[in-house]
Amino acid sequence: MPRLPAYVELDPTSVSIVPANEASGEDLRAIFGSRGYPAYCQCQKWKFANWAERKATPIAARVERLQDQTHCGFPGSEVTSGLVASLDGEPVGWCNVEPRSAFIPRLLNSPVPWAGRDEDPADPSVWAIPCFVVRAGYRRRGITRLLLTAAVERARSCGARALEGYPLLTEPGVEVTWGELNVGARSVFAAAGFEEVSHPTPRRVVMRIEFS
């Protein structure tokens, strides 16, 4: 895999982003890797009903679940659960974006989305972005920002009336592990036009953009 110079913002024209069903299973495996938090989670944290189910599900089964959810390798599918970013043909990033109802009951068991909010969590017209994955060796180069921009257009084009995320508050000069930052940073969402609607924990906020 080619290595890029550290902390260089990529030229957006060199990155292509497609619905995950237009990518392959090999693309997803390359992005998630074989070690670290993304390889362990396989973007399933928000899909399990509870911690017990999550703990009981081996990594191989999580890989299969992600493949099924994305319908990767089936470009004609009308359903997928996210977006895949490629740099000059090399898969480098993933963003989970789909109707918020896909994350029930996990969302109902978490204080992050609902503290201080009175809204139907099963409303299918509201979409959500619970996580991003950027391949090791390509982080801090603007890929998350490009994926978020594409996710906004994806949700809008699919008829969503709103899109929300649950990013982390970051501080300049303070290192954050990728296992925490996979929800995205507040600053990235704000730059994409999202507005803060709640602040449920000291480090997490709910950011939202309305389409109607």
Side-chain angles (χ1 to χ4, degrees):
M1 180 181 70
R3 305 294 290 187
L4 301 176
Y7 312 116
V8 174
E9 187 95 359
L10 295 172
D11 177 358
T13 62
S14 66
V15 178
S16 62
I17 299 176
V18 298
N21 61 296
E22 296 181 19
S24 68
E26 290 76 14
D27 292 338
L28 288 175
R29 286 190 288 272
I31 293 167
F32 282 81
S34 59
R35 59 183 180 179
Y37 186 80
Y40 165 75
C41 183
Q42 293 293 318
C43 207
Q44 298 305 301
K45 176 181 178 180
W46 291 84
K47 295 295 183 84
F48 290 125
N50 50 53
W51 170 251
E53 181 185 4
R54 181 184 178 192
K55 185 177 180 180
T57 306
I59 293 177
R62 299 179 189 201
V63 172
E64 291 183 3
R65 284 170 59 112
L66 180 61
Q67 303 275 321
D68 291 341
Q69 292 156 7
T70 58
H71 295 257
C72 60
F74 294 92
S77 175
E78 296 182 358
V79 179
T80 191
S81 60
L83 301 170
V84 168
S86 297
L87 172 63
D88 297 328
E90 187 74 20
V92 295
W94 151 267
C95 170
N96 186 192
V97 54
E98 55 187 320
R100 188 178 59 189
S101 55
F103 309 109
I104 292 175
R106 174 65 174 83
L107 282 178
L108 298 180
N109 297 326
S110 171
V112 173
W114 302 118
R117 301 173 68 194
D118 182 16
E119 186 177 332
D120 178 11
D123 183 350
S125 69
V126 178
W127 282 42
I129 308 172
C131 78
F132 301 86
V133 174
V134 176
R135 187 175 175 179
Y138 294 92
R139 295 169 185 164
R140 299 186 181 182
R141 292 174 174 84
I143 292 174
T144 295
R145 177 177 54 79
L146 296 175
L147 280 164
L148 180 56
T149 299
V152 170
E153 294 309 311
R154 169 73 177 174
R156 192 199 312 268
S157 68
C158 288
R161 69 175 179 85
L163 175 64
E164 64 183 37
Y166 317 107
L168 191 71
L169 289 169
T170 57
E171 299 178 27
V174 177
E175 192 74 20
V176 181
T177 67
W178 189 254
E180 290 186 292
L181 202 54
N182 66 336
V183 294
R186 184 195 184 282
S187 58
V188 176
F189 278 82
F194 287 70
E195 296 184 355
E196 183 177 320
V197 296
S198 69
H199 195 152
T201 75
R203 300 182 68 205
R204 295 284 290 280
V205 293
V206 177
M207 302 289 286
R208 181 158 163 150
I209 187 170
E210 302 284 344
F211 298 136
S212 59

